[in-house]
């Protein structure tokens, strides 16, 4: 059943007041009565800006496709900007989208900090911000919702699996994601929360591979140079870095997945292929297919409906024994 126009109008007006930071209250509700046609917007009415952070991984490629394809399917006008993994570019992108007066801005903030000023500018312009995939460390009133994963839990899951694989005894090297990013911060912390209960598990080295395969390979090669076969396990914050590490381990003359156990995060196709080849021991799922949920939230926000401050994605863990059966069903 369709809710009456009046009921829609009140929250829209209230949220507009909220966004522009105006404290004036309407004198009487009757002044809010709409006099034109329905105010409810449809997907076809929306202009949505999206400030993507870059194209650093298989995960990101799938995420971008999901946003673009969903916009097309729904008939949303999408203004998509790629910041090429630079925060300055992402800030610039938001400013461009503000000038273009888009209805909503979606952003995957490359790092957690440094957003207050530009988010405030969006708020002053009355444009709501939805954080997609990565959180930003800003006051709650500077964004309407965060849609994405529980990265802390992903780190914990990786540690629990690792503990089982190595029977509570390992010399671990860690390939950290982009420094200062929400997934790198939380995957780092979550993993340690669990590992601290296993005295036989030590993290002997930890360095950033920036979520890319090339950097993962370089950093792993340097770890092997330094620690050699002392290394018995790798914890990679994403699959791409794990795939880079696999190359480095093979070049060094050891067997990834056997001499060195490897656990990573994302559950992208490349990880399934590596598991089938016996070179990766597990991958923790992090879902990039956020397009449908993002546009649903955007439409609700524009129509003044209440949305949760955090919309978490549901995720799983995958192991080599099921990889061949599951791979054909994977969408990224
Ligand atoms: O795990 C990694 C990507 O923010 C969850 O970013 C995302 C992470 C993902 O580069 O592969």
């Amino acid at each position: 059943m369709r809710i009456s126009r009046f009921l829609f109008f009140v929250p829209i007006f209230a949220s507009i007041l909220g966004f522009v930071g105006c404290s004036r209250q309407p004198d009487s509700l009757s002044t809010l009565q709409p006099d034109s046609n329905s105010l409810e917007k449809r997907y076809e009415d929306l202009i949505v800006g999206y400030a993507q952070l870059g194209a650093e991984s298989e995960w990101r490629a799938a995420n971008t496709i999901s946003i673009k394809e969903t916009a097309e399917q729904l008939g949303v006008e999408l203004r998509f900007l790629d910041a090429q993994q630079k925060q300055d570019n992402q800030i610039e992108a938001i400013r461009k989208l503000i000038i273009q007066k888009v209805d909503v801005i979606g952003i995957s903030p490359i790092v957690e900090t440094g957003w207050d000023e530009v988010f405030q500018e969006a708020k002053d312009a009355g444009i709501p911000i939805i954080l997609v995939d990565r959180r930003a460390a800003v006051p709650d009133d500077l964004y309407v919702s965060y849609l994405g994963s529980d990265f802390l839990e992903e780190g914990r899951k990786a540690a629990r699996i690792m503990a089982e694989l190595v029977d509570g005894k390992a010399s671990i090297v860690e390939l950290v994601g982009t420094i200062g990013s929400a997934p790198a911060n939380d995957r780092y912390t979550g993993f340690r929360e669990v590992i601290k209960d296993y005295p036989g598990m030590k993290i002997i080295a930890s360095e950033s591979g920036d979520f890319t395969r090339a950097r993962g390979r370089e950093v792993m090669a340097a770890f092997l140079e330094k620690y050699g076969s002392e290394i018995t396990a790798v914890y990679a914050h994403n699959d791409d870095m794990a795939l880079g590490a696999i190359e480095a381990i093979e070049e060094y003359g050891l067997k990834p997945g056997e001499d060195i156990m490897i656990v990573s995060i994302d559950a992208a196709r490349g990880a399934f292929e590596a598991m089938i080849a016996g070179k990766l021991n597990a991958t923790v799922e992090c879902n990039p297919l956020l397009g449908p949920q993002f546009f649903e939230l955007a439409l609700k926000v524009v129509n003044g409906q209440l949305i949760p401050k955090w919309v978490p994605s549901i995720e799983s863990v995958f192991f080599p024994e099921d990889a061949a059966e599951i791979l054909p069903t994977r969408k990224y």
Side-chain angles (χ1 to χ4, degrees), residues 198-238:
Y198 294 87
M201 293 178 75
K202 302 244 172 326
I203 299 168
I204 58 172
S206 171
E207 211 177 291
S208 174
D210 210 14
F211 281 130
T212 68
R213 185 169 181 151
R215 281 294 294 150
R217 179 180 170 155
E218 274 171 38
V219 175
M220 188 65 208
F223 283 159
L224 285 161
E225 191 70 31
K226 192 160 175 200
Y227 301 99
S229 51
E230 191 193 327
I231 302 168
T232 60
V234 174
Y235 166 42
H237 286 197
N238 80 341

Side-chain angles (χ1 to χ4, degrees), residues 53 56-60 133-134 149 151 154 183 187 211 237-240 265-266 286:
L53 70 86
E56 74 285 359
S57 64
E58 232 186 302
W59 191 102
R60 188 69 47 201
D133 151 40
R134 297 187 184 178
S149 308
F151 301 133
E154 290 171 353
R187 289 170 185 174
F211 281 130
H237 286 197
N238 80 341
D239 292 338
D240 296 68
I265 300 176
D266 275 357
C286 179

Side-chain angles (χ1 to χ4, degrees), residues 14 18 59 63 75 104 140 145 166 173 178 188-190 199 205 211 215 232 235 241 253-254 257 264 266 269 295 330:
W59 191 102
N63 180 244
V104 177
D140 271 8
S145 186
V166 301
V173 294
T178 299
Y188 180 99
T189 306
F211 281 130
R215 281 294 294 150
T232 60
Y235 166 42
M241 292 189 295
L254 291 174
S264 62
D266 275 357
R269 293 188 79 83
F295 289 106
R330 299 297 291 168

Side-chain angles (χ1 to χ4, degrees), residues 148-167:
S149 308
D150 185 341
F151 301 133
L152 261 181
E153 186 53 24
E154 290 171 353
R156 292 186 200 114
K157 279 184 193 163
R160 284 184 212 117
I161 293 158
M162 178 78 88
E164 231 172 88
L165 283 169
V166 301
D167 213 8

